Amino acid sequence: MTGWSSGAQQFLGYRFEDVVGRSAAGLLGQNSGIPVDLSSAAEGWRGTSALRHRDGHDVVADIQAYASLDHEGSAQWLVVATRTQRPYPRPTQHPDEAEATTEEAFAQCHLPVMIYDAELRALRGSAGAVRALGLSEEQMRGRRVTEILPPHICTKVEEGMRRVFETGEPELFQVHGRPRPEARGHYWAVTVSPVRNPAGEVRHVQLMALDITELRLARERLALLNDVSTQVGSTLDVTHTAQEMADITVGRLADFVSIDLLDSLLRGLEPKPLDEGPIGLRRVAQQSVLPEVPESVIQPGDVDYYPASSPPVSCLLTGRSSLHRTLDGAVKSWQTADPERAEKVRSFGMHSIMVVPLRARGVTLGVAVLVRHRRRHPFDDDDLLLAEEIAARTAVSIDNARRFTHERTTALALQRSLLPQHVSAQDAVNVAHRYLPARSQAGLGGDWFDVIPLSGTRVALVVGDVVGHGLQASATMGRLRTAVRTLADVDLPPEELLVHVDDLVTHLKTGAGTAPDSEPDVVTDLIATCLYLVYDPVSGRCTAAAAGHPPPAMVTPDGRAEFIELSAGPPLGVGGLPFETAEWEVPEGSLLALYTDGLVEGSEHDIDRGMTLLLQRLDQPALSLETVCDDLIETMLPAEPSDDVALLLARTRFLGSDRVATWDLPSDPAAVAGARHEVSRCLTNWGLDEVTFTTELVVSELVTNAIRYGSPPVQLRLIRGSALICEVSDSSSTAPHMRRARLFDEGGRGLMMIAQLSDRWGTRHMPGGKAIWAEIGIPNEQS
């Protein structure tokens, strides 16, 4: 011995000085298997040996000896000993006893183990094989696999055994089937290994089968739950979500599935507590392993009424699932109360039923019924737990879809209440419009349109879009539409109107950002676009300004379509930037198209391509406005648009000289009488003698005020449309104000009289002064 480690001292009890320099033979036990002369083992030696402890007892160890050279080049051996737990056979044990122990171990092995000869006939079988196959070892001996197992299992097993005989390499594969007719189907991991003789020849094969049924079922359940998590709830649609659950579950857990929900859920309402008694549920989804779902007694969308004693009603009232056989008393009572359903149970051989509630946030939304009739084996408790987990995950998705439906319905109701419900007839244009809410999960947007009558038979056409979706976008849209309508009544030019609306959006952002429960990320994105267009049928001209909005399109009477060159300007909410106005002439009978970006931009094409398509669709022979609207919606939008769409079409009219009369008046009170005379003669020519007296009074007051308080030049204009408009303009920018005259006041009653005699009146500011107008109704006028 030339070396001794501390580990060796702890292992055998000898100190360094007790062993170094002495013979290693003194450390070997009485039954040691280590060769005395290791020089014959040139490649080293490995085995199990008994070593002698210092106190005299033997220690069984695994020995590994490594050959090496010392620093002088002499041969030496490094011996590593590791304690072993294996019993060390003693020479005193008879070989027959060892063979008997091995035989007992094989015979009592609880795993199915079989030994086959070269002809693939069974030689031996363990206790596990006897138990799995239902045959004694004597019955199995001499029989081939094909004589014991079903054919589809035998073929795969025998092919593997033959390959092992040919290659000598073990094989591992999986099979599925029933080892005997009365047993359930099992999954087996089968290992076929060669058994060699001392010469190394493969004389037999060993077949070992490990039952992995529970492992396989656990994996299938996990895979099913994973598919439910990833595939159920792909949309925010209640019916579609329920159908996804039915589609995934059928064939993997049940043969037939039906899902019924409380009817209020489909309207987005919170379910109310249920009363005892028969309950009607709406069938929203069903699926079967058979084509066309013949097991169902109703179709999706219909209401199914469940008796008070039926398991689904009990499930709804208690919120607890249940597992039934068709012979159970509860199911028999259900069949008695529902003969049609009982006939389905008998004709399809339904034998096992699970009734599972769909619950979310502690509220029962509906019930799922799962049935087996093609699978031989009934549902068990593990299946019920799996169905409950699937139903719980589906219920969360259904509840999310219900809440989305509720919010969308609320937002849509709000949005429609804020949009024009009816556009009144205008002298300037004929209009048609469409509004389509978005169908995406983001919810409704903030698109809007409006048609605003202005003084002088003019009309304002407006479209806008608030960036974002949901209730906030709809509420903001309503505020902006109200602001635009209010500013339009003041007759502000388009560019000034957009400046005021831009200030309003900026104030909304600032005010919302300081609210106690504000959402800064939402408020920061408060941006809107708007197009404001004014058409004057007397001059036949349009003026328009845009705030980040796509330009309007115009189609002339000859069918030529083009976009108006209009500076887009910054969106509303940017603040501090000016807007530009464009003005152009519009031929009579032209078509003006105003729209939001949802019409021209989508998943199928970008905005440039969409605007090209819009011109192509507009460049058609003259059609009715309603027909053009329908054509644009059908050809340019997908079935479910991802963004709101607002479309406004207007066919222009022109009021020529036969409907407009204009007089320039001197700044002299004596001109009032002449103005009344000219007006009377004009109304006679127009056949409006019935309103002559009223019109003369109104004209007298308007002209008198312009001469007395205004600045020359003074101009009087009559416009005959659906109503008669009297308009007097002067170069002064001072607007008159109505006041209440006292009893003995000599003035102050003119505007009061105008207000009483006319349907509407007001003041319009112009670059060179102002105009005061009054609108007088024409009885039975056919414009």
Side-chain angles (χ1 to χ4, degrees):
M1 298 289 292
T2 58
W4 190 253
S5 69
S6 60
Q9 179 177 340
Q10 295 177 2
F11 189 30
L12 297 178
Y14 296 99
R15 295 175 299 175
F16 177 84
E17 54 269 21
D18 294 338
V19 294
V20 174
R22 300 184 180 183
S23 172
L27 298 179
L28 301 179
Q30 295 180 359
N31 301 312
S32 172
I34 300 178
V36 176
D37 185 8
L38 290 174
S39 61
S40 60
E43 300 298 330
W45 183 88
R46 183 174 184 176
T48 301
S49 178
L51 302 179
R52 180 173 297 170
H53 196 273
R54 183 179 183 184
D55 59 11
H57 75 275
D58 287 350
V59 178
V60 180
D62 289 331
I63 306 296
Q64 180 74 51
Y66 302 93
S68 63
L69 299 176
D70 61 12
H71 64 283
E72 296 178 353
S74 303
Q76 68 175 8
W77 293 87
L78 173 65
V79 180
V80 180
T82 306
R83 186 183 299 275
T84 180
Q85 300 298 328
R86 293 174 293 178
Y88 181 70
R90 299 179 181 275
T92 56
Q93 185 179 19
H94 194 277
D96 293 341
E97 295 180 7
E99 293 178 3
T101 302
T102 303
E103 174 66 23
E104 292 172 358
F106 178 85
Q108 298 176 19
C109 179
H110 71 282
L111 294 177
V113 181
M114 301 285 293
I115 303 296
Y116 289 87
D117 60 15
E119 296 181 358
L120 305 184
R121 296 191 177 277
L123 298 177
R124 297 296 312 277
S126 68
V130 171
R131 183 174 58 255
L133 298 176
L135 301 173
S136 66
E137 187 176 9
E138 291 297 328
Q139 292 173 321
M140 290 185 287
R141 187 173 292 124
R143 299 170 67 177
R144 298 175 62 125
V145 177
T146 54
E147 300 171 3
I148 300 176
L149 296 176
H152 70 280
I153 298 179
C154 305
T155 302
K156 193 171 185 179
V157 172
E158 285 199 340
E159 289 176 354
M161 294 166 64
R162 289 192 180 94
R163 287 193 297 269
V164 172
F165 270 112
E166 294 172 359
T167 65
E169 298 294 330
E171 288 201 8
L172 174 64
F173 48 87
Q174 294 185 5
V175 296
H176 174 256
R178 293 192 297 272
R180 54 183 186 274
E182 69 277 8
R184 297 187 63 171
H186 284 252
Y187 290 92
W188 304 88
V190 178
T191 303
V192 181
S193 305
V195 178
R196 303 177 186 273
N197 61 11
E201 300 173 341
V202 179
R203 302 297 298 273
H204 303 91
V205 293
Q206 173 185 272
L207 186 148
M208 179 180 294
L210 181 62
D211 189 349
I212 58 171
T213 304
E214 291 300 323
L215 177 61
R216 180 67 176 263
L217 292 178
R219 289 180 176 176
E220 290 179 354
R221 292 187 179 104
L222 287 175
L224 178 55
L225 287 177
N226 180 69
D227 290 344
V228 170
S229 299
T230 57
Q231 299 179 30
V232 174
S234 60
T235 65
L236 288 174
D237 181 83
V238 172
T239 302
H240 192 272
T241 300
Q243 188 62 51
E244 288 173 334
M245 172 189 165
D247 293 342
I248 292 176
T249 307
V250 161
R252 302 171 70 175
L253 180 61
D255 298 326
F256 168 71
V257 174
S258 66
I259 301 176
D260 300 328
L261 298 178
L262 296 171
D263 197 46
S264 59
L265 258 75
L266 302 179
R267 301 191 302 271
L269 303 178
E270 186 82 16
K272 296 181 180 179
L274 299 173
D275 298 327
E276 295 185 1
I279 296 178
L281 297 176
R282 180 82 58 184
R283 177 65 51 85
V284 294
Q286 59 186 23
Q287 190 55 274
S288 169
V289 294
L290 302 177
E292 299 181 1
V293 197
E295 306 96 323
S296 178
V297 296
I298 63 171
Q299 296 302 315
D302 297 338
V303 176
D304 197 358
Y305 291 92
Y306 292 96
S309 60
S310 64
V313 171
S314 175
C315 177
L316 285 170
L317 295 177
T318 63
R320 293 191 295 269
S321 57
S322 57
L323 178 61
H324 303 275
R325 300 296 297 272
T326 52
L327 300 178
D328 293 351
V331 177
K332 281 188 173 181
S333 175
W334 184 11
Q335 295 182 55
T336 302
D338 192 343
E340 184 180 3
R341 200 182 305 270
E343 177 59 29
K344 293 284 187 179
V345 172
R346 288 190 295 270
S347 61
F348 288 97
M350 300 178 184
H351 59 84
S352 188
I353 300 173
M354 288 192 298
V355 182
V356 184
L358 298 170
R359 289 177 58 83
R361 299 182 295 111
V363 178
T364 302
L365 311 177
V367 61
V369 178
L370 296 86
V371 177
R372 278 184 179 175
H373 55 76
R374 286 295 180 266
R375 299 191 182 199
R376 296 176 51 190
H377 298 282
F379 293 115
D380 55 24
D381 292 336
D382 290 338
D383 294 326
L384 184 61
L385 290 175
L386 177 61
E388 289 174 344
E389 181 64 24
I390 293 173
R393 299 188 183 191
T394 303
V396 172
S397 298
I398 289 177
D399 188 57
N400 289 339
R402 178 199 65 80
R403 298 172 70 180
F404 169 77
T405 300
H406 177 69
E407 180 176 345
R408 187 177 186 278
T409 302
T410 303
L412 184 59
L414 172 63
Q415 195 170 42
R416 292 198 181 280
S417 68
L418 297 174
L419 291 172
Q421 303 301 308
H422 175 71
V423 177
S424 59
Q426 305 290 324
D427 292 325
V429 291
N430 290 327
V431 297
H433 54 83
R434 294 290 186 274
Y435 171 74
L436 270 70
R439 296 289 183 180
S440 66
Q441 296 183 2
L444 298 176
D447 293 18
W448 90 92
F449 67 91
D450 209 345
V451 179
I452 307 172
L454 303 177
S455 63
T457 67
R458 297 171 304 136
V459 64
L461 306 176
V462 190
V463 289
D465 183 5
V466 177
V467 175
H469 296 82
L471 287 174
Q472 180 170 348
S474 298
T476 304
M477 175 272 288
R479 300 172 79 172
L480 294 184
R481 175 175 176 262
T482 301
V484 170
R485 180 169 279 271
T486 301
L487 294 171
D489 286 342
V490 184
D491 254 324
L492 291 178
E495 72 278 9
E496 292 187 24
L497 182 142
L498 292 181
V499 169
H500 287 284
V501 179
D502 182 52
D503 291 339
L504 172 63
V505 174
T506 302
H507 291 320
L508 288 177
K509 293 169 61 175
T510 305
T514 58
D517 46 349
S518 62
E519 300 181 10
D521 56 332
V522 176
V523 173
T524 303
D525 295 335
L526 182 54
I527 300 294
T529 66
C530 182
L531 172 63
Y532 184 80
L533 182 150
V534 176
Y535 172 66
D536 186 351
V538 176
S539 65
R541 300 187 67 80
C542 268
T543 56
H549 203 86
M554 183 177 73
V555 184
T556 56
D558 58 4
R560 182 171 52 88
E562 63 178 350
F563 287 111
I564 301 301
E565 294 185 4
L566 189 67
S567 173
L572 301 174
V574 174
L577 298 175
F579 301 95
E580 298 181 11
T581 297
E583 184 173 357
W584 70 97
E585 186 173 352
V586 181
E588 182 180 4
S590 296
L591 175 66
L592 297 174
L594 289 74
Y595 52 91
T596 54
D597 58 359
L599 180 68
V600 295
E601 185 177 20
S603 58
E604 299 180 357
H605 50 72
D606 57 18
I607 190 169
D608 293 333
R609 174 60 178 164
M611 294 181 71
T612 302
L613 291 175
L614 177 60
L615 283 186
Q616 292 176 355
R617 300 308 306 176
L618 290 174
D619 192 8
Q620 301 289 335
L623 301 172
S624 69
L625 295 181
E626 297 294 336
T627 302
V628 176
C629 280
D630 293 337
D631 177 72
L632 293 177
I633 295 299
E634 292 175 2
T635 58
M636 299 195 61
L637 296 179
E640 295 188 355
S642 59
D643 195 8
D644 286 19
V645 175
L647 174 64
L648 179 60
L649 301 181
R651 184 88 68 186
T652 62
R653 295 176 177 174
F654 182 73
L655 300 181
S657 58
D658 59 331
R659 287 176 171 263
V660 181
T662 305
W663 299 274
D664 293 325
L665 304 177
S667 184
D668 182 357
V672 176
R676 285 199 304 268
H677 177 71
E678 292 294 334
V679 167
S680 176
R681 187 176 63 176
C682 179
L683 294 179
T684 300
N685 294 334
W686 284 350
L688 300 179
D689 294 330
E690 295 182 9
V691 297
T692 300
F693 177 74
T694 302
T695 306
E696 286 182 349
L697 290 177
V698 170
V699 168
S700 295
E701 292 298 328
L702 292 179
V703 172
T704 299
N705 284 339
I707 294 174
R708 179 177 298 178
Y709 303 109
S711 301
V714 177
Q715 186 181 74
L716 169 63
R717 185 170 70 165
L718 293 183
I719 303 174
R720 178 192 173 187
S722 57
L724 181 65
I725 298 175
C726 303
E727 190 176 271
V728 176
S729 60
D730 65 83
S731 61
S732 173
S733 59
T734 303
H737 298 280
M738 184 185 299
R739 63 185 180 89
R740 184 178 296 277
R742 288 177 291 182
L743 182 61
F744 297 105
D745 287 350
E746 295 183 1
R749 296 179 177 84
L751 291 181
M752 180 70 72
M753 185 188 311
I754 293 174
Q756 295 298 320
L757 294 175
S758 62
D759 295 339
R760 294 193 309 154
W761 75 278
T763 302
R764 179 173 76 253
H765 289 275
M766 301 180 298
K770 68 176 184 301
I772 304 175
W773 56 270
E775 187 177 292
I776 302 171
I778 302 176
N780 301 322
E781 171 63 14
Q782 300 294 329
S783 60

